[in-house]
Amino acid sequence: MWTGDERQQGVIQRAREAFVTDPRVLAVYLVGSFATGAADRFSDVDVHLVVADESTAWFQDHWDDVLRELTGPTVHTDRIPGLVGGLGITPDWLHVDLIIHPLASFDRLQYDGVKVLFDRDGTLFPDGDIAPQGGRPGDPYWPTDAVNLFFYFLGNLVTVLGRDERIVANQGVGAVRDQLVTLMLAERGVRRTSGAKRLNALLSDEQRAALEAIPAAGTDPADVIAANQYICRQFITRGTALAKLTDTPWPTEYVEATLQHLHNHFHTNFA
């Protein structure tokens, strides 16, 4: 098993040691190929921190400084949208990701495989490293972010087509489809957030057939609407069943408001 070249191992060792004296940092761990045993000399190093909630704003502003504590000089850094943290590229082109999780939103099962480098009081990873499941099904769970994003993206179809932004509308079909994929993974209890180019093994035959049946959508508004209608019906049918299975409240008001918004503008039903 590859344990890393000098550059990769240097980052991992600094991640293991650098935050021991910083009480704001509660845990440090690796995800990705260095957590699953699939690393090679081309692999990124994916470092994650769990921090005290009250320190989140500081890390939001200074994540790139923290990253350089691990990597040394960088030739490029870029924030990752929607997350606290980002990526860095070193002068010899090592790619390192640093993601910071506030304690309140930390989920130790979010990633498929975890290598624990530091756990301040032993409570965030009580069983230590988490072995990768490799897409094997587990217990169904509720994907809050995917549900919220789905209806947000869906509702924005009114704005996009109202402005006749047909290219953006076509891109939006992919955005809502991706949230449906996330919901399907939650149905199966698959908690894998990497390996986007290897999706088939994570889905059931029925799920794959449902995704492959999404109507083709170019830039014609009628085709875009038809694709969104199909995806919406799939999402609501599966989502309501999953909410019941996981004993989670279905966001009825949000869903109904979104469907009414779409009906008011397109004069057709999406559910």
Side-chain angles (χ1 to χ4, degrees), residues 15-212:
R16 192 189 307 274
E17 298 172 351
F19 306 106
V20 172
T21 60
D22 187 341
R24 300 172 301 175
V25 179
L26 307 178
V28 183
Y29 58 99
L30 302 177
V31 302
S33 57
F34 276 101
T36 63
D40 59 25
R41 64 189 182 91
F42 304 108
S43 294
D44 305 340
V45 182
D46 301 294
V47 181
H48 288 236
L49 311 183
V50 184
V51 302
D53 293 330
E54 61 272 16
S55 68
T56 303
W58 186 91
F59 282 97
Q60 179 79 53
D61 293 337
H62 299 280
W63 68 269
D64 50 344
D65 295 325
V66 178
L67 175 72
R68 281 187 283 270
E69 289 186 39
L70 305 178
T71 63
T74 57
V75 295
H76 175 68
T77 61
D78 196 9
R79 190 183 301 273
I80 298 177
L83 298 174
V84 180
L87 64 88
I89 304 295
T90 68
D92 53 2
W93 242 96
L94 176 63
H95 176 167
V96 178
D97 287 340
L98 176 68
I99 306 300
I100 293 103
H101 303 269
L103 178 61
S105 60
F106 169 66
D107 176 4
R108 70 175 180 272
L109 298 177
Q110 180 179 358
Y111 296 94
D112 184 37
V114 169
K115 176 68 175 178
V116 181
L117 302 180
F118 172 68
D119 184 359
R120 185 167 299 280
D121 58 12
T123 59
L124 296 183
F125 294 98
D127 300 317
D129 297 345
I130 298 175
Q133 295 296 305
R136 292 196 298 273
D139 294 329
Y141 60 92
W142 183 247
T144 301
D145 291 344
V147 174
N148 291 337
L149 280 174
F150 179 85
F151 291 104
Y152 173 77
F153 289 145
L154 191 66
N156 271 293
L157 183 63
V158 170
T159 301
V160 173
L161 286 183
R163 293 172 175 166
D164 200 32
E165 291 280 359
R166 298 188 180 197
I167 296 172
V168 178
N170 174 268
Q171 293 172 328
V173 174
V176 293
R177 181 205 58 216
D178 288 349
Q179 306 316 310
L180 175 59
V181 170
T182 300
L183 183 76
M184 288 177 168
L185 296 179
E187 285 181 319
R188 302 192 76 213
V190 175
R191 294 178 178 269
R192 178 170 175 167
T193 58
S194 60
K197 296 177 182 177
R198 295 182 180 273
L199 182 61
N200 284 342
L202 310 183
L203 300 168
S204 69
D205 290 343
E206 181 274 330
Q207 289 172 330
R208 286 180 57 191
L211 291 168
E212 290 167 2

Side-chain angles (χ1 to χ4, degrees), residues 221-244:
D223 293 340
V224 171
I225 289 171
N228 276 276
Q229 285 175 309
Y230 174 90
I231 295 169
C232 182
R233 289 162 184 158
Q234 284 283 325
F235 198 96
I236 289 176
T237 298
R238 295 173 182 276
T240 52
L242 184 60
K244 183 177 181 180

Side-chain angles (χ1 to χ4, degrees), residues 1-9 12 34 39-40:
M1 182 177 67
W2 177 260
T3 58
D5 62 20
E6 182 178 339
R7 303 170 307 147
Q8 294 162 328
Q9 274 299 314
I12 293 170
F34 276 101
D40 59 25

